[in-house]
Amino acid sequence: MTSSRTAPQLVMPILSAGRHRNPRRGACFMEFASYLAGEKWSDHPACTHPVLAAVARNVNDLSTDATRASLTQHIHRVVGLTSRDPLVTVAIAVHAAAAALPIASFERQRALAVGMLVALGSVDSPQLEAVAAEAFLTAPGEERWARKYMSRARSREFTVRTATTIVHTAVAGIALACVSDADARLKHLLVSTIELVEDMTAIPETRGLEKRDSTLRSEFAEV
């Protein structure tokens, strides 16, 4: 005997730009992450660091359809990838700004330069200072302008909102730059940011085990 009632089918969202009311209408990168995490449908799920999520949303929206589809394989990596360490927030912002600074428009270069200085002023990190210094080599005039501007600035507060603004400016700067590989750069920014946060939030012993397991897999593959 066949029942007239059929079991509901799972709907696998398809990545597209913007926000979506439910999976049947599609999903952005972070909405898909909320779906995988079992959270309430949202493009701001609790399972992911808010500034990393901002990178993902912006890259999702400003990539072409072909590149956006290729981002799907990385969604599971952001589920549960978060931290309360302020250094992680600063690192994401500096990483994004440094990626965009060499190719962004004049106006965005200045905004990114100021953003990096504000971010770096909130922590003590020689590693991030080195990242910024290398990026500033591509726009020394904007670094000088930004430092002069900062000497007169009344407020130098760095918050998650500041970091999110830097990320938005950086991703737009890459997407709208006069380069032929903007899409590839956007994807690289997202993937490298995920790797950055994975590395910063991993337990050292766990990283060692992962490295050992990776080596063992390589050795077995060669047998």
Side-chain angles (χ1 to χ4, degrees), residues 87-165:
L87 184 60
V88 175
T89 299
V90 174
I92 297 172
V94 171
H95 181 71
L101 190 65
I103 61 172
S105 65
F106 172 75
E107 294 81 4
R108 290 192 177 92
Q109 279 186 324
R110 289 194 164 181
L112 293 170
V114 170
M116 278 204 290
L117 293 180
V118 174
L120 292 171
S122 68
V123 296
D124 180 14
S125 174
Q127 294 87 350
L128 292 179
E129 288 176 4
V131 171
E134 184 175 354
F136 278 138
L137 290 175
T138 66
E142 306 322 313
E143 179 187 8
R144 288 192 294 271
W145 181 89
R147 291 192 181 281
K148 185 176 181 180
Y149 174 86
M150 288 298 296
S151 69
R152 304 190 304 266
R154 293 183 178 180
S155 175
R156 300 185 183 184
E157 183 182 10
F158 182 80
T159 64
V160 170
R161 184 173 182 177
T162 309
T164 301
T165 300

Side-chain angles (χ1 to χ4, degrees), residues 4-63:
S4 60
R5 305 177 75 180
T6 58
Q9 294 183 341
L10 290 176
V11 177
M12 189 59 67
I14 297 175
L15 285 190
S16 56
R19 300 175 65 180
H20 307 79
R21 298 180 67 178
N22 57 60
R24 293 183 182 278
R25 295 174 178 266
C28 76
F29 190 99
M30 289 312 305
E31 287 171 336
F32 207 141
S34 74
Y35 182 88
L36 293 181
E39 292 190 31
K40 180 180 178 181
W41 181 260
S42 170
D43 62 351
H44 287 67
C47 64
T48 305
H49 190 285
V51 187
L52 171 57
V55 175
R57 285 192 300 273
N58 279 274
V59 170
N60 176 90
D61 289 352
L62 294 176
S63 294

Side-chain angles (χ1 to χ4, degrees), residues 169-186:
T169 304
V171 176
I174 294 172
L176 301 176
C178 296
V179 293
S180 60
D181 60 345
D183 249 34
R185 288 173 183 261
L186 289 175

